[in-house]
Amino acid sequence: MADIRIRKRKRMRSKEIKALSSELEEMLGVPVFAEDDTVDIAESSDFDLLFVDNDILGLIVEGKPFLTIRGIIKYRPAKRYVTVDMGAVPFITNGADCMGPGIVEADPSISVGDLVWIRDEKNKVPLAIGISERAGEELIRKSPGKAIRNVHNVGDKLWKTGE
């Protein structure tokens, strides 16, 4: 078990779950959290976490909800993705920020400050969750410099907590 501190875990009301689910569905293009799911919210050291039936499938970063990598794997969203070339994969899975030249494809609807998920070019599997520092059209242009700030990646404390 990883050393992530979880405090103040409480059960969400069905009205709150519906609002959160519809916000995530609009953002990601797929339905998340069924009505019979039990959803808890808890504080952790870095951000708030969303537990769905005792699995950490969501997080709240800077007041914005999003799915964790395990949540992305479970619900398979159709929006807010950024695809990187295979050369960038080892760096991103080690927690590095995503740089512009490594981006192969991106959802054009992404805005600056949006939470996005990063996937690899070959297998299309999620590698990380990050905050976009550029708009979707600008991400595709491959300009040099940081494009996405890494928040959660495969192999970090949050990922290991779910093992």
Side-chain angles (χ1 to χ4, degrees):
M1 196 77 147
D3 56 343
I4 191 166
R5 292 180 53 95
I6 298 168
R7 307 180 291 284
K8 296 183 182 177
R9 183 170 167 171
K10 76 174 185 79
R11 182 79 22 103
M12 292 178 76
R13 294 192 172 111
S14 60
K15 196 185 221 181
E16 296 170 317
I17 295 169
K18 249 183 223 169
L20 183 67
S21 178
S22 65
E23 185 180 348
L24 284 168
E25 185 175 344
E26 186 180 315
M27 185 188 309
L28 298 168
V30 292
V32 295
F33 311 154
E35 290 200 21
D36 57 338
D37 286 342
T38 55
V39 181
D40 295 351
I41 188 166
E43 292 177 8
S44 81
S45 44
D46 302 322
F47 29 72
D48 291 352
L49 302 173
L50 297 169
F51 288 81
V52 181
D53 298 326
N54 281 334
D55 293 327
I56 304 172
L57 296 182
L59 50 97
I60 299 174
V61 181
E62 299 171 4
K64 299 175 196 167
F66 205 71
L67 297 175
T68 60
I69 295 171
R70 292 189 193 285
I72 300 280
I73 292 168
K74 181 174 181 179
Y75 297 114
R76 302 192 178 279
K79 295 181 183 174
R80 294 273 186 101
Y81 62 86
V82 174
T83 310
V84 295
D85 61 27
M86 296 308 286
V89 171
F91 298 102
I92 290 171
T93 54
N94 281 328
D97 293 331
C98 180
M99 305 308 260
I103 296 171
V104 175
E105 179 187 10
D107 182 356
S109 68
I110 295 171
S111 305
V112 176
D114 281 352
L115 283 159
V116 297
W117 62 284
I118 303 168
R119 64 185 186 180
D120 74 61
E121 176 180 36
K122 187 173 162 191
N123 306 307
K124 307 283 193 229
V125 294
L127 305 169
I129 307 297
I131 299 173
S132 179
E133 300 199 351
R134 302 179 188 173
E137 295 294 327
E138 200 179 323
L139 287 170
I140 300 166
R141 284 194 215 121
K142 297 183 164 214
S143 353
K146 189 192 314 186
I148 299 161
R149 184 166 47 100
N150 199 329
V151 174
H152 159 51
N153 57 281
V154 173
D156 68 3
K157 293 186 291 188
L158 183 55
W159 173 262
K160 289 178 180 163
T161 302
E163 289 180 333

